Amino acid sequence: MRLESLQDQFQQRIAVVGGRAQTVPDLEAALGYVVRLTQELGGRTLAAPGWGQAELERIQAVGQQAGLEVFSQGLRAQAKNIFCGFTPADWGVAQTGTLVIDSLNEDLRLATMLSEVHVAVLPAARLRPDLPSLQDELGGILQRPQAYLAMITGPSRTGDIELILTMGAHGPRQVHVLILEAAA
Amino acid sequence: MRSTPADSRQYRAQLRRALDNQFLRQTLAGFAARNRQQRAETFAGLDFAALAQEVARIKDDSLSRLPELYQQFKQAAEAGGAQVHLAADAAEANRIIADIAKKAGCQRLVKSKSMTSEEIFLNDYLEAQGLTVTETDLGEWIIQLRGEGPSHMIAPAIHLSRQEVAQLFSRVTGRELDPQNVEGLVEVARQELRQAFLSADMGISGGNFCLADSGAIGIVTNEGNARLVTTLPRVHVALVGLEKLVPDLGSALTILSLLVRNTGMGQPISGYVTWISGAVPCATGADGRKEMHVVFLDNGRLALSQDPVFKEALRCIRCGSCANVCPIYAKVGGHNYGHVYIGAIGLILTYFYHGRENARALVKNCLNCQACKAACPAGIDLPRLIKKTAGLVLAQEPRRPAKNRLLAAVLKNRRLFHFLLRRAYLTQKPLARGERLIRHLPFFFGREQGFRSLPVVARRPLRDRWPELARPEAKPHLRVALFGGCLVDFVYPEQAEALLRLLRGRGVRLDYPLEQTCCGLPALMMSEEETAREVAVQNLRALDPAEHDYVLTLCASCGSHLKENLPRLLEGAAGLAVQARQLAGKVIDFSSFMVDVLGVEPALGGSGAQAAYHAPCHLCRGLGVQRAPRELLRAAGYQYLPYAEEEVCCGFGGSYSLEFPELSAAILESKLDQVAATGAELLVTDCPGCVLQLRGGLDQRRSPIQVLHMAEAAAAALDKPRA
């Protein structure tokens, strides 16, 4: 019950800032979503850093089958060529619709910054009500010698011209969050 | 380098030009309205005051131990491979950053938004060293291309129209761009700046937080440019003011939640909040690591953090709300209401970071309406610090202005002061032509003062009428002293007469101690603190708090001055400090006295006339009274017609309206437009100063709307008992 209400809240909050969230049963469904989305938008590449070996192999297989080029590392070389960033997220904050991603891995950062569209996969169990409830975990990450911790709430946006809200200032123009439901 | 006119006349000319800019006026008015609404929405269900108090506590604690937090931060950051520098002043900070670039062989620099870099004019310095610097925040890029500074801390290019931006971008790209396509304009910036990111070898960012326990910096943005600035180039320099140090992430998250909500941009958290610690991986860096530097800027901050009065200014978390809610900012914008730092905090910081000359004229431009103080997420008493800063400027003038010397001499001597006020009646008589208002002011006022008619000083002041007005109450259960204030006593005695009528038969013994004089607020407004203190002592002698249950005032400004400033003025004064606190504790405004003490509800009677209300700054914010006057209006049988900017200043501000008549007029105009739009026949308020301004303005408009003090409005209800 509690988990569902966190999911609802997350979905509502991210929608307010122009992002989208929905639940998916498993990684395969997430892959189906990301491939479809990329194709619909006319993209040809998928940047998928930050995944485990087995997951990456599935991403590559499905991506290539759909005719997409899949990168997982050395993304600087592809800086002008990243259409869709497909990454895992570490936590979701329901109160604000925020993704928290431990982004020390430079490729992970680049995929979430340089892409036109960012699709993040968030395990439902990693949803938290608010930022303070994550304080210990996040404080712990920052205690490491090096850290790059990203809190991302919706697409990149600006209001700098006449305060008119406009998406896609520098980073992704769209942010999609696929909430991975707990295994039955 | 920028300069703000030190000369008041020049500064006023600049303000007049700004007032003529219709686009700016419209944009800022829309911004203020939207901001007010969004700020209220994002704080719905939250206790702003409690949160602000918590932020103030965190900041005060941090500011009290900056050297310790700095050492802790340095140790933690250096353990992670970052280099930490401390720059004593702007010149040193500029040098350090240029040296980093040179040593690392960097030529192309990209920057994300940093007010601290604006403070030290970093771009100018780096460019003079032959380096290429590109601002990457859209607003900052726009103003960089135009060779301007930011006009708002959060929205740096808010003063520009899409047409101006389109023109600028057309020049940059060599393509004709459609000004109506704002998305297209943003797209231009995205494309152009993406190139700059990819080819840059050094990134410069600011920082909103520096966490001492982990050596991490936190950066708050919406566009995501700071993420690219801190990721793509092989060198990252974060330039931060020392006051950004806080102990840990928990403290920062508390501040963050208030910071973003308080910007009034309508979101509880910004698009991106980025936390960076140590030399993070970077494929193009030496050994695959980023060359990471954190440059702390002192520039007076350490000394400021130990200043007994001004340390409060360092609590500022740069949310920009003191500009957003300021009625003056809303008329002229940041380029005319600040130097580098704009808004209320800018008036103060300009003096400390950019010197007396730049602050000299600017610092006088405050109404003391307290809107900024009420909106400050760190609880900074901005109006007070502004007056204190003005005092510093004044103390350094070769000669105090004549009006200051005159005011000081006259106010300190009650007999002389009151003698002059009585004489004013005779002087005015021929001008008034038998009316209560002077419509055409004599030449020595100057044309710009003509935006409002001025009231005629009463033929007999309240103090002369008192013996015949006061009637002993048979069995008083309350002993109340009336603090009249100069306006009620000498200009509007009828307001006190209305009060007396309302109190009749209610068991209140009302005294009017005749030794009382001006409350002293006008002296404080002109930074004449010594005079304010002397006058405070005289009033304490006149009004013994032990003899009264309440000290009632019809003037919100006198009331809030007695309540808040009196104890502060006499703090530490042997024998007097106690009395000042006691007196302050007994001060009450008219509406609260009627509603909360006498309990006049349910109904006095009343005509059912449609009435709009103007909330005096010193009542709704100064004394924190919001409910009572509206209840009293209803109790007095009026049909209350609310409007959005009820609590926005009327532009009076005492001597402010004489110093800055054009602004006072513009602020009054907005107020009266709103009131007129309600369709009300009456405009009711609780302060004789506001009555003066509103009535004078409406008379110049030849408007039929009548202005009444709340006491008069309530007394009028007695004449029309409810059926």
Side-chain angles (χ1 to χ4, degrees), chain B residues 87-356:
Chain B
D89 55 21
E92 194 183 357
N94 284 330
R95 233 174 10 246
I96 288 172
I97 296 172
D99 284 350
I100 293 170
K102 278 178 210 159
K103 268 191 208 138
C106 300
Q107 180 59 43
R108 288 176 304 275
L109 283 51
V110 282
K111 257 188 87 218
S112 58
K113 197 164 169 10
S114 154
M115 280 309 299
T116 313
S117 75
E118 302 283 350
E119 175 184 330
I120 64 173
F121 300 102
L122 176 64
N123 290 6
D124 293 350
Y125 184 86
L126 295 177
E127 281 164 1
Q129 305 291 307
L131 301 166
T132 308
V133 189
T134 307
E135 292 284 353
T136 62
D137 172 87
L138 175 56
E140 288 281 341
W141 188 52
I142 292 170
I143 59 171
Q144 184 191 26
L145 291 172
R146 285 174 56 96
E148 291 178 326
S151 75
H152 189 280
M153 287 206 265
I154 309 289
I158 190 176
H159 57 290
L160 297 173
S161 67
R162 62 187 84 182
Q163 283 79 8
E164 286 165 299
V165 175
Q167 223 168 38
L168 180 73
F169 284 9
S170 298
R171 208 183 69 212
V172 170
T173 57
R175 285 184 286 137
E176 195 60 35
L177 297 166
D178 174 12
Q180 294 316 321
N181 183 2
V182 171
E183 262 179 50
L185 296 174
V186 173
E187 188 59 29
V188 166
R190 181 183 173 101
Q191 302 300 341
E192 295 282 327
L193 292 171
R194 187 60 70 89
Q195 291 306 317
F197 283 124
L198 292 173
S199 62
D201 32 34
M202 178 166 149
I204 301 174
S205 75
N208 296 81
F209 311 102
C210 302
L211 313 185
D213 70 337
S214 56
I217 58 162
I219 308 175
V220 182
T221 76
N222 264 332
E223 297 182 1
N225 58 319
R227 285 160 37 91
L228 292 160
V229 161
T230 58
T231 295
L232 285 169
R234 60 189 159 85
V235 180
H236 172 202
V237 178
L239 171 66
V240 288
L242 269 175
E243 83 281 15
K244 297 290 169 61
L245 282 159
V246 290
D248 48 31
L249 180 68
S251 316
L253 290 180
T254 302
I255 297 171
L256 174 70
S257 100
L258 208 51
L259 165 66
V260 180
R261 285 189 170 88
N262 213 47
T263 60
M265 303 297 181
Q267 42 187 20
I269 190 167
S270 63
Y272 301 101
V273 185
T274 307
W275 307 88
I276 306 169
S277 169
V280 297
C282 174
T284 51
D287 312 325
R289 296 258 158 216
K290 176 86 76 183
E291 182 180 328
M292 170 73 176
H293 299 263
V294 182
V295 179
F296 280 94
L297 178 67
D298 181 347
N299 210 20
R301 286 165 170 80
L302 270 180
L304 204 51
S305 74
Q306 284 149 24
D307 187 292
V309 173
F310 290 100
K311 65 179 171 194
E312 211 175 295
L314 286 178
R315 285 186 197 159
C316 174
I317 56 172
R318 309 279 188 265
C319 69
S321 63
C322 59
N324 303 348
V325 300
C326 173
I328 301 169
Y329 170 84
K331 295 290 172 228
V332 297
H335 281 161
N336 308 293
Y337 201 52
H339 179 62
V340 169
Y341 291 107
I342 63 117
I345 192 69
L347 269 56
I348 301 157
L349 293 183
T350 297
Y351 177 86
F352 290 102
Y353 296 159
H354 297 111
R356 181 158 52 99

Side-chain angles (χ1 to χ4, degrees), chain A residues 135-176:
Chain A
Q135 199 172 303
D136 291 345
E137 287 95 328
L138 303 185
I141 290 175
L142 293 181
Q143 286 295 336
R144 298 174 192 158
Q146 289 88 27
Y148 197 112
L149 189 63
M151 298 174 177
I152 301 173
T153 310
S156 160
R157 55 193 177 272
T158 183
D160 274 352
I161 300 176
E162 291 192 15
L163 299 166
I164 296 162
L165 185 68
T166 312
M167 297 294 165
H170 288 294
R173 302 169 197 270
Q174 294 184 15
V175 171
H176 300 246

